[in-house]
Amino acid sequence: MTMKSSNPFFNNKTFSPTSRVYGAQEDVNVITHNETMTVKGTINKSMFLFAILVTSALLSGYLMLFEGVHPYALLLGGGITGFVIALIATFKPNYSGVLAPAYSLFEGLFIGGISIILELRYPGVALKAAGGTLVTFMVCFLLYRFGIVKVTEQFRSVVMASVLAIGTYYLLSWIVSFFTGSYFVGHSFEDSSLMSIGISVFIIVVASLNLFLNFDMIEQGAQRRLPKHMEWYSAMGLMIAVVWLYLEFLKLFAKISGRD
């Protein structure tokens, strides 16, 4: 089975079909089960990273509201640093044990900062976005866990194409904004048109479907008995997907509130 994910973080060569399968005859006296990736280990590390993410987001809110820290310092510092860390991990997955907690810490500052900004403007959006993200994640996990939704090659291809299209759309929108000062429809939090809301709903659906690919990738990695550090790497990939889903929910609820 070709192991690909629409999450760019999971497109690292470590997850490719040609990756070395530990536990083969020549490794039997070198690699043990305790040194290979497991689903349970990945879940535990994902929960740990999520706790760091939430704590960091709360700290970000405290710094902004009570210590007078400028929100853009947290947005730029946390966002850029988190992106750089994720980029490094893509090429150096063996350092994920250190990079994954660092990513959750800085990305928490970023989402905390943007959440407070929008919460002050549209009261209640942060809680709604958090609830929407949690419910969506749990539903997707249960649907995958009980085999109701199966990841096929066709399913994978459609999701990957959709994510690529969204990424291209956002990139072009950013480029255009540098010259015109305005984004494409659906990109901005301030755009509360029905078309913009519809685009946000579509992106949330794609982000949700992407979770199934991530779950499948983790299961495949465990079956291939990849090295233990891939648990941190995979957990970090899940955090990236969760952050994306949360930000899209935050954008959707901000747009809806803007119509009131």
Side-chain angles (χ1 to χ4, degrees):
M1 178 181 293
T2 302
M3 299 177 61
K4 297 180 180 178
S5 171
S6 60
N7 185 339
F9 191 78
F10 281 119
N11 284 333
N12 188 276
K13 63 183 180 180
T14 346
F15 274 103
S16 68
T18 56
S19 300
R20 187 174 186 179
V21 180
Y22 291 86
Q25 185 64 39
E26 66 271 18
D27 296 315
V28 69
N29 295 321
V30 180
I31 303 297
T32 68
H33 180 70
N34 291 331
E35 296 173 316
T36 58
M37 175 182 175
T38 65
V39 173
K40 181 179 179 180
T42 305
I43 292 176
N44 290 338
K45 290 175 173 61
S46 297
M47 294 175 64
F48 177 70
L49 295 182
F50 183 73
I52 295 178
L53 186 76
V54 173
T55 302
S56 179
L58 295 175
L59 174 62
S60 178
Y62 172 81
L63 293 174
M64 288 177 55
L65 296 175
F66 301 103
E67 298 297 330
V69 176
H70 198 283
Y72 287 103
L74 297 172
L75 289 177
L76 293 177
I80 293 175
T81 305
F83 174 78
V84 171
I85 290 174
L87 190 62
I88 294 174
T90 301
F91 295 99
K92 297 290 184 180
N94 52 309
Y95 294 119
S96 297
V98 175
L99 295 175
Y103 168 82
S104 294
L105 175 65
F106 285 102
E107 202 66 19
L109 294 177
F110 171 76
I111 65 172
I114 196 170
S115 296
I116 291 297
I117 292 175
L118 290 176
E119 182 68 23
L120 292 175
R121 185 170 180 179
Y122 308 110
V125 294
L127 184 59
K128 292 176 182 177
T133 302
L134 180 61
V135 170
T136 300
F137 182 90
M138 291 305 302
V139 169
C140 291
F141 176 77
L142 292 175
L143 289 175
Y144 179 81
R145 175 65 179 81
F146 291 104
I148 299 175
V149 175
K150 297 183 182 298
V151 177
T152 64
E153 288 301 318
Q154 183 178 9
F155 181 95
R156 183 179 289 107
S157 298
V158 170
V159 176
M160 290 178 64
S162 300
V163 172
L164 180 60
I166 292 170
T168 302
Y169 185 81
Y170 276 175
L171 178 60
L172 292 176
S173 180
W174 278 321
I175 294 174
V176 170
S177 70
F178 289 143
F179 298 98
T180 66
S182 60
Y183 295 98
F184 288 170
V185 60
H187 192 168
S188 173
F189 287 92
E190 288 79 17
D191 185 358
S192 58
S193 66
L194 290 178
M195 180 177 292
S196 177
I197 291 175
I199 291 175
S200 287
V201 172
F202 170 74
I203 294 176
I204 287 174
V205 171
V206 174
S208 302
L209 294 178
N210 185 56
L211 288 173
F212 291 111
L213 272 63
N214 295 334
F215 296 148
D216 183 67
M217 188 63 63
I218 291 171
E219 186 175 34
Q220 292 290 333
Q223 290 177 359
R224 293 182 62 83
R225 301 188 66 187
L226 296 179
K228 196 70 173 177
H229 66 258
M230 294 305 293
E231 291 181 351
W232 285 109
Y233 184 85
S234 302
M236 185 176 173
L238 267 184
M239 288 303 99
I240 293 174
V242 168
V243 168
W244 178 32
L245 186 61
Y246 172 78
L247 290 176
E248 294 300 336
F249 265 117
L250 194 64
K251 182 185 294 185
L252 172 64
F253 288 120
K255 292 176 181 179
I256 294 175
S257 297
R259 294 181 61 86
D260 296 338

